[in-house]
């Protein structure tokens, strides 16, 4: 299936440090998205990057996409305790259908 | 508040019960989704509805029965579930277009099957 796979599974950093999470996927995509989930809550969309884009920024977030390696990374700069959450990448399957597939996520803990 | 409301937030049921999960979106979207989230597993896409028509059934057992009476409402009817069906069930909506845009999620319904 097209489900993405995030790496690492868990990440713990000090407040103010940068956090980098990686995502790999299997088949060609139209776009890749990153979502955040606070414990026991719904997912919240962070950023979408299209297959013809290589890098995108939104506030303290920086996303890169390498379609030749079928991988993406999410960088959160100057992390805050409030960034503590699970982060998921999600990909479509390029069929034209609006099916979106998620991985298991990276659990980020930012220590104050 | 994301504009997608799920009820109930928590549900405990026995294996012989029949219950339903409800999802309502106030965003004017035309696509709705059910996902299952179990511990240490990827989110599983269960069902997709576009313009009230089911376009995806990701090999979901028949004890889960979706219903989409209109573009704003989505139900998941549950019948004779198994303990391994205990999970967080997430509803989402989006504006359908070629390829997949941003999904808006509800807060989820935490289901426990005894």
């Amino acid at each position: 299936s097209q489900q993405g796979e995030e790496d690492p599974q868990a990440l713990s950093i000090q407040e103010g440090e940068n956090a980098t999470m990686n995502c790999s996927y299997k088949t060609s995509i139209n776009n890749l998205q990153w979502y955040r989930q606070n414990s026991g809550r719904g997912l919240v969309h962070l950023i979408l990057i299209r297959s013809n884009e290589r890098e995108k920024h939104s506030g303290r977030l920086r996303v890169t996409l390498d379609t030749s390696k079928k991988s993406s990374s999410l960088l959160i700069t100057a992390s805050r305790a409030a960034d503590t959450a699970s982060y998921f990448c999600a990909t479509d399957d390029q069929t034209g259908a609006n099916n979106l597939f998620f991985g298991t996520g990276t659990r980020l803990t930012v220590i104050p | 508040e994301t504009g997608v409301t799920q009820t109930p937030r928590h549900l405990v049921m026995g294996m012989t019960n029949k219950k339903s999960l409800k999802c309502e979106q106030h965003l004017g979207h035309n696509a709705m989704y059910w996902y299952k989230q179990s511990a240490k597993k990827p989110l599983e896409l269960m069902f997709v509805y576009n313009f009230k028509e089911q376009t995806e059934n990701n090999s979901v057992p028949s004890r889960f029965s979706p219903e989409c009476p209109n573009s704003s409402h989505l139900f998941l009817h549950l019948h004779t579930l198994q303990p391994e069906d205990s999970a967080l069930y997430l509803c989402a909506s989006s504006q359908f277009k070629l390829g997949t845009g941003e999904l808006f999620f509800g807060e989820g319904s935490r289901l426990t099957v005894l």
Side-chain angles (χ1 to χ4, degrees), chain B residues 8 11 15-17 19-20 37-38 41 44 48 51-54 63-64 70-71 73 83 87 94 98 105 109-110:
Chain B
L11 178 62
M15 290 193 287
T16 58
N17 290 160
K19 297 285 184 184
S20 296
Q37 186 176 33
S38 305
K41 289 186 179 180
E44 298 174 44
V48 181
F51 300 97
K52 302 187 300 178
E53 299 296 323
Q54 184 176 311
R63 58 186 184 270
F64 295 92
N70 55 61
S71 294
H73 293 84
S94 73
L98 186 65
F105 282 85
S109 293
R110 172 70 63 184

Side-chain angles (χ1 to χ4, degrees), chain B residues 98-109:
Chain B
L98 186 65
T100 306
E102 174 184 352
L103 265 59
F104 291 76
F105 282 85
E107 295 290 85
S109 293

Side-chain angles (χ1 to χ4, degrees), chain B residues 13-104:
Chain B
M13 59 187 289
M15 290 193 287
T16 58
N17 290 160
K18 288 184 182 180
K19 297 285 184 184
S20 296
L21 305 181
K22 178 183 176 182
C23 177
E24 182 175 2
Q25 59 97 0
H26 314 277
L27 301 169
H29 290 162
N30 50 33
M32 296 188 78
Y33 310 73
W34 279 116
Y35 282 88
K36 175 184 178 183
Q37 186 176 33
S38 305
K40 301 195 189 315
K41 289 186 179 180
L43 267 76
E44 298 174 44
L45 178 62
M46 300 176 72
F47 301 104
V48 181
Y49 278 80
N50 291 309
F51 300 97
K52 302 187 300 178
E53 299 296 323
Q54 184 176 311
T55 57
E56 179 74 15
N57 176 338
N58 199 22
S59 303
V60 180
S62 60
R63 58 186 184 270
F64 295 92
S65 174
E67 179 189 1
C68 189
N70 55 61
S71 294
S72 299
H73 293 84
L74 185 65
F75 294 89
L76 188 62
H77 303 300
L78 316 170
H79 177 49
T80 59
L81 296 190
Q82 304 298 311
E84 60 264 29
D85 296 323
S86 298
L88 182 67
Y89 289 85
L90 292 161
C91 173
S93 70
S94 73
Q95 192 63 18
F96 174 76
K97 51 190 172 183
L98 186 65
T100 306
E102 174 184 352
L103 265 59
F104 291 76

Side-chain angles (χ1 to χ4, degrees), chain A residues 17-37:
Chain A
E17 294 181 339
N18 297 339
T20 299
M21 289 159 269
N22 303 296
C23 168
S24 59
Y25 56 92
K26 295 177 183 173
T27 66
S28 298
I29 59 172
N30 289 309
N31 64 60
L32 183 144
Q33 304 180 42
W34 284 91
Y35 287 78
R36 166 199 167 119
Q37 183 182 34

